[in-house]
Amino acid sequence: MAPRCSLEEALSLAATWRAEGKRIVLANGCFDLLHVGHVRYLQAARALGDVLLVALNSDASVRRLKGAGRPVVGEGERAEIVAALRPVDAVVVFDEDTVDSLVSRLRPDVQAKGTDYTEESVPERESVLGAGGRVAIAGDPKDHSTRDLIAAILQRFAR
């Protein structure tokens, strides 16, 4: 299983991977109620390089981005689940609304975002380019979402 790491550990891993000549891909997201869209995104992101570091939104960050009642699953468990996926080499939890700060410090070769973005609409685009990386869109069409999964559960099981 991939490790969940602190920012300092992630920086150390990135330095080691870079020294080994590995191409570093950074993917990020909330990953609340993991579904097939998440898995396909991470598989496609990993295919863009040699190692995949996943930045996972903290509980506070998810609440700010998604609203009251989210996340459904706490950051510790979300990090453990994502870290257990084969494409993932490490997971770091972050508290900001974007990964601009992480991008500036980690300097990934590629910042992978899901298909709900375009290369031009990625919020961290300027940070990625400024750090010498490139933005790539990864995964299947955005036909899956945690919001839709929650709605389906409520519809099927509400009394």
Side-chain angles (χ1 to χ4, degrees):
M1 177 166 58
R4 174 183 176 180
C5 54
S6 66
L7 174 58
E8 294 74 27
E9 291 165 329
L11 291 169
S12 178
L13 277 172
T16 299
W17 292 332
R18 196 171 288 105
E20 293 171 350
K22 292 182 178 173
R23 189 166 178 76
I24 301 167
V25 179
L26 179 68
N28 68 285
C30 299
F31 301 100
D32 194 14
L33 293 184
L34 197 68
H35 55 71
V36 71
H38 291 132
V39 173
R40 292 172 181 166
Y41 163 54
L42 295 174
Q43 288 171 329
R46 178 63 166 72
L48 296 169
D50 301 310
V51 291
L52 176 61
L53 176 60
V54 176
L56 184 114
N57 290 79
S58 70
D59 290 348
S61 176
V62 174
R63 273 190 295 280
R64 287 191 306 273
L65 295 169
K66 304 292 185 178
R70 298 285 301 276
V72 175
V73 178
E75 67 189 50
E77 291 181 4
R78 289 184 289 119
E80 185 175 339
I81 291 166
V82 171
L85 298 174
R86 183 175 297 137
V88 177
D89 292 288
V91 175
V92 62
V93 175
F94 71 103
D95 197 42
E96 294 81 20
D97 293 344
T98 70
V99 290
D100 284 303
S101 177
L102 280 177
V103 165
S104 298
R105 298 192 64 192
L106 292 167
R107 299 183 343 268
D109 297 292
V110 180
Q111 164 67 10
K113 294 294 272 191
T115 57
D116 44 339
Y117 292 93
T118 65
E119 288 185 20
E120 293 74 30
S121 71
V122 169
E124 304 87 2
R125 177 180 166 75
E126 294 308 315
S127 296
V128 173
L129 298 175
R134 74 178 181 90
V135 171
I137 304 304
D140 65 347
K142 183 74 173 171
D143 295 333
H144 315 281
S145 75
T146 299
R147 181 186 62 250
D148 292 345
L149 184 57
I150 291 169
I153 291 168
L154 290 173
Q155 182 180 18
R156 290 181 193 165
F157 299 101
R159 297 190 188 257

